[in-house]
Amino acid sequence: VLETLENRHAHRDYLVRLDCPEVTSICPLTGAPDFGRLTVRYVPDEALVELKSLRDHLTGYRERAILQEELVNEVLDLLVQTLSPRYLEVSGEFNARGGIGVVVTARAGVPPELLAHA
Amino acid sequence: VLETLENRHAHRDYLVRLDCPEVTSICPLTGAPDFGRLTVRYVPDEALVELKSLRDHLTGYRERAILQEELVNEVLDLLVQTLSPRYLEVSGEFNARGGIGVVVTARAGVPPELLAHA
Amino acid sequence: VLETLENRHAHRDYLVRLDCPEVTSICPLTGAPDFGRLTVRYVPDEALVELKSLRDHLTGYRERAILQEELVNEVLDLLVQTLSPRYLEVSGEFNARGGIGVVVTARAGVPPELLAHA
Amino acid sequence: VLETLENRHAHRDYLVRLDCPEVTSICPLTGAPDFGRLTVRYVPDEALVELKSLRDHLTGYRERAILQEELVNEVLDLLVQTLSPRYLEVSGEFNARGGIGVVVTARAGVPPELLAHA
Amino acid sequence: VLETLENRHAHRDYLVRLDCPEVTSICPLTGAPDFGRLTVRYVPDEALVELKSLRDHLTGYRERAILQEELVNEVLDLLVQTLSPRYLEVSGEFNARGGIGVVVTARAGVPPELLAHA
Amino acid sequence: VLETLENRHAHRDYLVRLDCPEVTSICPLTGAPDFGRLTVRYVPDEALVELKSLRDHLTGYRERAILQEELVNEVLDLLVQTLSPRYLEVSGEFNARGGIGVVVTARAGVPPELLAHA
Amino acid sequence: VLETLENRHAHRDYLVRLDCPEVTSICPLTGAPDFGRLTVRYVPDEALVELKSLRDHLTGYRERAILQEELVNEVLDLLVQTLSPRYLEVSGEFNARGGIGVVVTARAGVPPELLAHA
Amino acid sequence: VLETLENRHAHRDYLVRLDCPEVTSICPLTGAPDFGRLTVRYVPDEALVELKSLRDHLTGYRERAILQEELVNEVLDLLVQTLSPRYLEVSGEFNARGGIGVVVTARAGVPPELLAHA
Amino acid sequence: VLETLENRHAHRDYLVRLDCPEVTSICPLTGAPDFGRLTVRYVPDEALVELKSLRDHLTGYRERAILQEELVNEVLDLLVQTLSPRYLEVSGEFNARGGIGVVVTARAGVPPELLAHA
Amino acid sequence: VLETLENRHAHRDYLVRLDCPEVTSICPLTGAPDFGRLTVRYVPDEALVELKSLRDHLTGYRERAILQEELVNEVLDLLVQTLSPRYLEVSGEFNARGGIGVVVTARAGVPPELLAHA
């Protein structure tokens, strides 16, 4: 479901960070909407993710009842399957419910040293 | 006393951070209330902590006379006992009393490399 | 229940602002704790409020089930009754519940021009 | 559709501000989701708005295709019709699209002097 | 050149603020690019400005050699001519050159009282 | 005790603001030190206050047991007596004690319109 | 010494703000350098100030021993003499010496209502 | 196309960071302008980059249709080819489009330990 | 002079950070007061420092003429002697004098890995 | 030209950071003034730098035409020659010219582990 672009600089390891502050889903326990911000960091191999298709995919969670931990892991799985990246990490920071906020961070691969700068 | 949810992504190490800015207890020396913010970071194994039961547990400190250092260590012990996590860390930042603020940080297990991103 | 101090500069209109960031009560609808910050602004007449007695009074809301709108109005009524100030205003800013935060502001008397600077 | 609570302090003009940072609707021109923050300020007469019903009403915009200017005016009309407040103002601040962010502010009644403090 | 939308709430005075942080033109004295942020505030009468056409118009300054004071006044003239608004104000804040930053603010009509809240 | 300089621009009303973030005194009730920041705003007549003598005077509160409300009024009285200014205002913002912070603002004369810009 | 440009929009009152964060002079009492930030706000009549000549003029204070109050009033006098503006205001904010920071604000003419937005 | 200056301290490894907040190019997919901020960090060998020529080179992207990932890699290649630095890194942070912001970071050489301080 | 409390969690390494923003002493060179903020980080062994006695000890510097570098080292020595901690670090950040601010950081023992989180 | 003080705690490695926000020199290419902030971090051996002499030395750059890269390296050389420190690092952050800001960081010796905390 995600489209890709050719990475013309695949001879070099470099890092791409995507900031997606507009993510909303449905809490499966209460039925009320959740709101969060996803951050994707990856070192591309042959493919770059096309941003409009990523946005459209994230919009699909609008109607989905899903736990926050599972949303983050599911996005990670899809991106890894689509891009076969050298490294990929997804972090989701969700607004507080009942006075408690949640941040979930998952990754695939070994984080590169240059991650600190991005 | 804490309820848990099944971690459906236990095949992967990932990090969950819980921000609990509404913690209050009673200072055993003065009898006056303390106010603080707890941050929990953990890498789940088979279980996730259910947030509403965590909030209710923290609300229980409202009537407790307890030192700040002991509150943090006690929450750590309970979470480790309940979740058997791969890693768990609790940090409590308390409002100043007499012009001095206190932050207490304790952990169980070896902190994972991805802790820096959360 | 509130103690007062003599205002030795009653010949002059001046403004006192009290910042009380540690207020907590019980929501009468859900039974869960509310957390907020009260700000009191007043122009004293003959009496100043003694701060320790104010803090102890606010601590009393810890066990009270009361709506946020009523907490603010109740504190206003008590302070006006105790101090007979030339002007007094109470503002309460409460943490979000269900994604909505609330600020309630009530006053007694005509706000002085110098309020803008405090 | 909105529920109300009795205002027990109707003898006094006071201000209530509601911060609703989690509002999302559908742009009628592009079909893509909009994200925004609504702020309601009002001086209640006999009725207070019940917050859970307000949140549920705002959640209803999740599936609505509506211009940002119209969403703000529509929320204003509903609140005025439901509460018959002494003053009411709605402001909506929406995330940038095409590099331009929008803030819409509408009101009913004469803004009270104490609005500056809230 | 600017397209408009019908204002369906013209019976009411309300305020629209547009934040345009991506404006660039050419300095007629040095030939180097200028960078700035435009803010438009207006009370619409019968017409709303369509945002995509506004963005495209502002993009047109990319190749224009024009003084900052004149860019702001020119945008004001065009918006007033197109919208016949009840009030309109344009403010442009430009990045420092030679250690001096410039902000230019012009308006047409009498600023409404609610401008302070937006 | 305060030295003054001649105001060579006394033909014009203008505003001077002095920011004094290093003020400490002794609380007469507890004997513990208080810490605060004083801000002085004034429109000079014939005299400007010399800053080193002001600093030395404020250092004198280091050993003084004095209420915060009285410290502010006392500094106001001294400055008015020394400078005979067209307007003078003193604001003192003190660190929280027992969870409550205090700001005291007093003035002599009618605040000039240009006070808002300083 | 200051050059001017023709104001082609003199039919309209509008406001120009100039932010000059790089001002340094010599303290006549201690011989040590002072550092500050000047802000000029004006409503032009027939002339705009040319910025490079303003910067060069301010650079001239680098070698001047002058009180902060006098520097601000002197810049005001020069700008008024050169531009004959409808309104002009100069504010200088200087770094702390001996723990006290100073802000001086002077003006010529009646401040326009739109000053609040700039 | 880039000019260089002699590095007179080539006997020592040191770090230079260049902050270029005014970069704009054309999106090859939509034809609309992109806006971003480039940060260059490098350890010079024999040559320093001359800043005016760097600015002029970046201005050249104003008319270029180019992907953000490729702009960053292209600037990296040019700087490495021109300077033969001991280390060089380019990071580009671009404004959100469709609700998603992008940061691209690429480097040549092994990042020095002192990078953390700059 | 410092009192201690028993560390009931001595079986575990954990970190305590104490923020003391209200420290003042006398500069031995000028006789003028210095103002600073001390931060203590330590891993307790058998003893915790009692906060009120620490505050009273720091208040004792109010009358002491002492260099900033020596104040930090002296506090470190006293805390190490009193607590025999597994690790202890003192950092003092002092307000600028003559335009230069100073931060002094000293430690005893090997800093634990978890220091980064506190 | 720099004076020193005896380091009475030379038996211990500790870190001193000096923040010098008021540095100005002359650009040798344009003749216009540069403005910057220097930060010095060092681990003293036998000598501490006396701050007033450091300030006076930095004031000497006021009349000097010198590249930013060279100013930083020159200050480093002088401090190392004067203090023979165990470690020393100088970082200079200069205001943007032509839209590009510059930070230069150089050091002598191996950075100590505790540098991260200062």
Side-chain angles (χ1 to χ4, degrees):
Chain A
V1 299
L2 291 177
E3 298 178 18
T4 63
L5 298 172
E6 177 197 355
N7 176 16
R8 300 194 201 167
H9 296 269
H11 61 284
R12 172 185 290 149
D13 273 9
Y14 67 96
L15 188 69
V16 180
R17 191 183 84 202
L18 309 175
D19 296 319
C20 314
E22 302 176 340
V23 174
T24 180
S25 56
I26 305 292
C27 173
L29 303 178
T30 66
D34 281 335
F35 284 81
R37 288 156 292 290
L38 283 193
T39 304
V40 178
R41 288 179 181 84
Y42 73 108
V43 178
D45 192 37
E46 297 298 325
L48 298 168
V49 65
E50 196 274 331
L51 293 190
K52 191 170 177 314
S53 72
L54 175 61
R55 189 194 63 176
D56 290 345
H57 178 70
L58 295 177
T59 300
Y61 284 105
R62 207 169 169 86
E63 319 294 339
R64 288 276 308 280
I66 185 169
L67 283 181
Q68 297 166 348
E69 287 89 348
E70 300 187 348
L71 188 154
V72 167
N73 277 285
E74 192 176 293
V75 170
L76 175 68
D77 285 340
L78 177 63
L79 283 166
V80 166
Q81 186 175 0
T82 307
L83 300 176
S84 300
R86 298 177 190 164
Y87 175 76
L88 197 144
E89 171 187 312
V90 180
S91 186
E93 180 183 0
F94 297 91
N95 289 6
R97 291 293 175 260
I100 299 184
V102 180
V103 183
V104 181
T105 305
R107 68 180 183 191
V110 179
E113 196 181 358
L114 58 72
L115 198 57
H117 305 288
Chain B
V1 300
L2 291 177
E3 297 178 19
T4 63
L5 298 171
E6 178 199 355
N7 175 15
R8 300 195 202 167
H9 296 269
H11 61 284
R12 173 185 290 149
D13 274 8
Y14 67 96
L15 188 69
V16 180
R17 192 184 82 202
L18 308 174
D19 297 318
C20 313
E22 301 177 340
V23 173
T24 179
S25 57
I26 304 293
C27 172
L29 303 178
T30 66
D34 281 335
F35 284 81
R37 289 155 292 289
L38 284 193
T39 303
V40 179
R41 289 180 180 85
Y42 73 108
V43 178
D45 191 37
E46 297 298 324
L48 297 168
V49 64
E50 196 275 329
L51 293 190
K52 191 171 177 314
S53 72
L54 175 60
R55 188 195 62 176
D56 290 346
H57 178 70
L58 295 178
T59 300
Y61 285 104
R62 205 170 170 86
E63 319 294 339
R64 288 277 307 280
I66 185 169
L67 283 180
Q68 296 166 347
E69 287 88 347
E70 299 186 349
L71 188 153
V72 167
N73 277 285
E74 194 177 289
V75 171
L76 175 68
D77 285 340
L78 176 63
L79 283 166
V80 166
Q81 187 175 0
T82 307
L83 300 176
S84 301
R86 298 177 189 164
Y87 175 76
L88 197 144
E89 171 187 311
V90 179
S91 185
E93 180 184 0
F94 297 91
N95 289 5
R97 292 293 175 259
I100 299 184
V102 179
V103 182
V104 181
T105 305
R107 69 182 182 187
V110 179
E113 198 181 357
L114 58 70
L115 199 56
H117 304 288
Chain C
V1 299
L2 290 178
E3 297 178 19
T4 62
L5 298 171
E6 177 198 356
N7 175 16
R8 299 194 202 166
H9 295 270
H11 62 283
R12 173 185 292 149
D13 274 9
Y14 67 97
L15 188 70
V16 181
R17 191 184 83 201
L18 309 174
D19 297 319
C20 314
E22 300 177 341
V23 174
T24 178
S25 55
I26 304 291
C27 172
L29 303 179
T30 65
D34 281 335
F35 285 81
R37 288 155 293 288
L38 283 194
T39 304
V40 178
R41 289 179 179 85
Y42 72 108
V43 178
D45 192 36
E46 297 298 325
L48 296 169
V49 64
E50 196 273 331
L51 293 191
K52 191 170 176 317
S53 72
L54 176 59
R55 189 194 62 175
D56 290 345
H57 178 70
L58 295 178
T59 300
Y61 284 104
R62 205 169 171 85
E63 319 293 340
R64 288 276 307 280
I66 185 169
L67 282 181
Q68 297 167 346
E69 287 87 348
E70 300 187 349
L71 188 154
V72 167
N73 277 285
E74 194 177 290
V75 170
L76 175 68
D77 285 340
L78 177 63
L79 283 166
V80 167
Q81 187 175 358
T82 307
L83 300 176
S84 301
R86 298 177 190 163
Y87 174 76
L88 198 143
E89 171 187 313
V90 180
S91 186
E93 179 183 0
F94 297 91
N95 288 6
R97 291 293 175 259
I100 299 185
V102 179
V103 183
V104 181
T105 305
R107 69 182 184 188
V110 178
E113 197 181 358
L114 58 71
L115 198 58
H117 304 288
Chain D
V1 299
L2 291 177
E3 297 179 17
T4 63
L5 298 171
E6 178 198 355
N7 176 16
R8 299 194 202 167
H9 296 270
H11 61 283
R12 172 185 291 148
D13 273 8
Y14 68 96
L15 188 69
V16 181
R17 191 184 83 202
L18 309 174
D19 298 319
C20 313
E22 300 176 343
V23 174
T24 179
S25 56
I26 304 292
C27 172
L29 303 179
T30 66
D34 282 334
F35 284 81
R37 289 154 293 287
L38 283 193
T39 303
V40 178
R41 290 179 178 84
Y42 73 108
V43 178
D45 191 35
E46 297 298 325
L48 297 168
V49 64
E50 197 274 332
L51 293 190
K52 192 170 176 314
S53 72
L54 175 60
R55 189 195 60 176
D56 290 346
H57 177 70
L58 294 178
T59 300
Y61 284 105
R62 205 170 169 85
E63 320 294 340
R64 287 277 306 279
I66 186 170
L67 283 181
Q68 296 167 346
E69 287 88 346
E70 300 187 349
L71 188 154
V72 167
N73 277 286
E74 193 177 290
V75 170
L76 175 67
D77 285 339
L78 177 65
L79 283 166
V80 167
Q81 186 174 1
T82 307
L83 300 175
S84 300
R86 297 176 192 165
Y87 175 75
L88 198 143
E89 171 187 312
V90 180
S91 186
E93 179 184 0
F94 297 92
N95 289 6
R97 291 293 175 260
I100 299 185
V102 179
V103 182
V104 181
T105 305
R107 69 183 185 188
V110 178
E113 197 180 357
L114 58 71
L115 198 57
H117 304 288
Chain E
V1 299
L2 292 177
E3 296 180 18
T4 63
L5 298 171
E6 177 198 355
N7 175 16
R8 300 194 202 167
H9 296 269
H11 62 284
R12 173 184 292 147
D13 274 9
Y14 67 96
L15 188 68
V16 181
R17 191 184 84 202
L18 309 175
D19 297 320
C20 313
E22 300 176 341
V23 174
T24 179
S25 57
I26 304 292
C27 173
L29 303 179
T30 65
D34 281 335
F35 284 81
R37 289 154 293 288
L38 284 192
T39 304
V40 178
R41 290 179 178 84
Y42 73 108
V43 178
D45 191 36
E46 297 299 324
L48 298 168
V49 63
E50 197 274 332
L51 294 189
K52 191 170 176 314
S53 72
L54 175 60
R55 188 194 63 176
D56 291 346
H57 178 71
L58 294 178
T59 300
Y61 285 104
R62 204 170 171 84
E63 319 294 342
R64 287 276 308 279
I66 185 169
L67 282 182
Q68 296 167 346
E69 287 88 347
E70 300 187 349
L71 188 155
V72 166
N73 277 285
E74 192 177 292
V75 170
L76 175 68
D77 285 339
L78 176 63
L79 283 165
V80 167
Q81 186 175 0
T82 307
L83 300 175
S84 299
R86 296 175 193 166
Y87 175 75
L88 197 144
E89 171 187 312
V90 179
S91 186
E93 180 184 0
F94 297 91
N95 289 6
R97 292 293 175 259
I100 299 184
V102 179
V103 183
V104 180
T105 305
R107 69 183 183 188
V110 179
E113 197 181 357
L114 57 71
L115 198 56
H117 303 288
Chain F
V1 300
L2 291 178
E3 297 178 19
T4 62
L5 298 172
E6 178 198 355
N7 175 16
R8 299 195 202 167
H9 295 270
H11 61 284
R12 172 185 291 150
D13 273 10
Y14 67 97
L15 188 69
V16 180
R17 191 183 85 202
L18 309 174
D19 297 319
C20 314
E22 301 177 340
V23 174
T24 179
S25 56
I26 304 292
C27 173
L29 304 179
T30 65
D34 281 335
F35 284 81
R37 289 155 292 290
L38 283 193
T39 304
V40 179
R41 288 179 180 85
Y42 73 108
V43 178
D45 192 37
E46 297 298 325
L48 297 169
V49 64
E50 196 274 331
L51 293 190
K52 190 170 177 314
S53 72
L54 175 60
R55 189 194 62 175
D56 290 346
H57 178 70
L58 295 178
T59 300
Y61 284 105
R62 204 170 171 86
E63 319 294 340
R64 287 276 308 279
I66 185 169
L67 282 181
Q68 297 166 348
E69 287 88 348
E70 300 187 348
L71 188 154
V72 167
N73 277 286
E74 193 176 292
V75 170
L76 175 68
D77 285 340
L78 177 64
L79 283 166
V80 166
Q81 187 174 358
T82 307
L83 300 176
S84 300
R86 298 176 190 164
Y87 175 75
L88 197 144
E89 171 187 312
V90 180
S91 186
E93 180 183 359
F94 297 92
N95 289 7
R97 291 292 174 260
I100 299 185
V102 179
V103 183
V104 181
T105 306
R107 69 181 184 191
V110 179
E113 196 180 358
L114 59 72
L115 199 57
H117 304 289
Chain G
V1 299
L2 291 177
E3 297 178 18
T4 62
L5 299 171
E6 177 198 355
N7 176 15
R8 300 195 202 167
H9 296 269
H11 62 284
R12 173 184 290 148
D13 273 9
Y14 67 96
L15 188 68
V16 180
R17 190 183 85 204
L18 309 175
D19 298 319
C20 314
E22 301 176 340
V23 174
T24 180
S25 56
I26 304 292
C27 173
L29 304 178
T30 65
D34 281 335
F35 284 81
R37 289 155 292 289
L38 283 193
T39 303
V40 178
R41 288 179 180 85
Y42 73 108
V43 178
D45 192 36
E46 297 299 325
L48 297 169
V49 63
E50 196 274 331
L51 293 190
K52 191 169 176 314
S53 71
L54 175 60
R55 188 194 62 175
D56 290 345
H57 177 70
L58 295 178
T59 300
Y61 284 105
R62 205 171 170 87
E63 319 294 340
R64 288 277 307 279
I66 185 170
L67 282 181
Q68 297 167 346
E69 288 88 346
E70 300 187 347
L71 187 154
V72 166
N73 276 286
E74 192 176 293
V75 170
L76 175 68
D77 285 340
L78 176 64
L79 283 166
V80 166
Q81 187 174 358
T82 307
L83 300 176
S84 300
R86 297 176 191 164
Y87 175 75
L88 197 144
E89 171 187 313
V90 180
S91 186
E93 180 184 0
F94 297 92
N95 289 6
R97 291 294 174 259
I100 299 185
V102 179
V103 183
V104 181
T105 305
R107 68 181 183 191
V110 179
E113 196 181 357
L114 57 73
L115 199 57
H117 304 289
Chain H
V1 299
L2 291 177
E3 298 179 18
T4 63
L5 298 171
E6 177 198 355
N7 176 17
R8 299 194 203 168
H9 295 268
H11 61 285
R12 174 183 290 148
D13 274 8
Y14 67 97
L15 188 69
V16 180
R17 190 184 86 203
L18 309 175
D19 297 319
C20 314
E22 302 176 340
V23 174
T24 180
S25 56
I26 304 292
C27 173
L29 303 179
T30 66
D34 281 335
F35 284 80
R37 288 154 293 289
L38 284 193
T39 304
V40 178
R41 289 179 180 85
Y42 73 108
V43 178
D45 191 38
E46 297 298 325
L48 298 168
V49 63
E50 197 274 332
L51 294 189
K52 191 170 176 314
S53 71
L54 175 60
R55 189 194 63 177
D56 290 345
H57 178 69
L58 295 178
T59 300
Y61 285 104
R62 205 171 171 85
E63 319 294 341
R64 288 277 307 279
I66 184 169
L67 282 182
Q68 297 167 346
E69 286 88 348
E70 300 188 347
L71 188 156
V72 167
N73 277 285
E74 192 176 292
V75 170
L76 175 68
D77 285 340
L78 177 64
L79 283 166
V80 167
Q81 186 175 0
T82 308
L83 300 175
S84 300
R86 297 175 191 166
Y87 175 75
L88 197 144
E89 171 187 312
V90 180
S91 186
E93 180 184 0
F94 297 91
N95 289 6
R97 292 293 175 258
I100 299 185
V102 179
V103 183
V104 181
T105 306
R107 68 182 183 190
V110 179
E113 197 181 357
L114 57 71
L115 198 57
H117 304 289
Chain I
V1 300
L2 291 178
E3 296 179 20
T4 63
L5 298 171
E6 178 199 354
N7 175 16
R8 300 195 202 167
H9 295 270
H11 61 285
R12 173 184 290 148
D13 274 8
Y14 68 96
L15 188 69
V16 180
R17 192 184 83 202
L18 309 174
D19 297 319
C20 313
E22 300 176 342
V23 173
T24 179
S25 56
I26 304 292
C27 172
L29 303 179
T30 66
D34 280 335
F35 284 82
R37 289 155 292 288
L38 283 193
T39 303
V40 178
R41 289 179 179 85
Y42 73 108
V43 178
D45 191 36
E46 297 299 324
L48 297 169
V49 64
E50 197 274 331
L51 293 190
K52 191 172 176 313
S53 72
L54 175 60
R55 188 195 62 176
D56 291 345
H57 178 70
L58 294 179
T59 300
Y61 284 104
R62 204 171 171 85
E63 320 293 341
R64 287 278 306 280
I66 185 170
L67 283 181
Q68 297 167 346
E69 286 87 348
E70 301 188 348
L71 188 154
V72 167
N73 277 286
E74 193 177 291
V75 171
L76 175 67
D77 285 340
L78 177 64
L79 283 166
V80 166
Q81 186 174 1
T82 308
L83 300 176
S84 299
R86 297 177 192 165
Y87 175 76
L88 197 144
E89 171 186 313
V90 180
S91 185
E93 180 184 359
F94 297 91
N95 289 6
R97 291 295 174 257
I100 299 185
V102 180
V103 183
V104 181
T105 305
R107 69 184 183 186
V110 179
E113 197 181 357
L114 58 69
L115 198 57
H117 304 289
Chain J
V1 299
L2 292 177
E3 297 179 19
T4 63
L5 298 171
E6 178 198 354
N7 176 16
R8 300 193 202 167
H9 296 270
H11 62 286
R12 173 184 290 147
D13 274 8
Y14 67 96
L15 188 69
V16 181
R17 191 184 84 202
L18 309 175
D19 298 319
C20 314
E22 301 176 341
V23 174
T24 179
S25 56
I26 304 291
C27 173
L29 304 179
T30 66
D34 281 334
F35 284 81
R37 288 155 293 288
L38 283 193
T39 304
V40 178
R41 290 179 179 85
Y42 73 108
V43 178
D45 191 37
E46 297 299 324
L48 297 169
V49 64
E50 197 274 333
L51 293 189
K52 191 170 176 315
S53 72
L54 175 61
R55 190 195 61 177
D56 290 346
H57 177 70
L58 294 178
T59 300
Y61 284 104
R62 204 170 172 85
E63 320 293 341
R64 287 277 307 279
I66 185 170
L67 282 181
Q68 298 167 345
E69 286 88 347
E70 301 188 347
L71 187 154
V72 167
N73 277 286
E74 192 176 293
V75 171
L76 175 68
D77 285 340
L78 176 64
L79 284 165
V80 167
Q81 186 175 1
T82 308
L83 300 175
S84 299
R86 297 176 192 165
Y87 175 76
L88 198 144
E89 171 187 313
V90 180
S91 186
E93 179 184 0
F94 297 91
N95 289 6
R97 291 294 175 259
I100 299 184
V102 179
V103 183
V104 181
T105 305
R107 69 183 183 187
V110 178
E113 196 180 358
L114 57 70
L115 197 58
H117 304 289

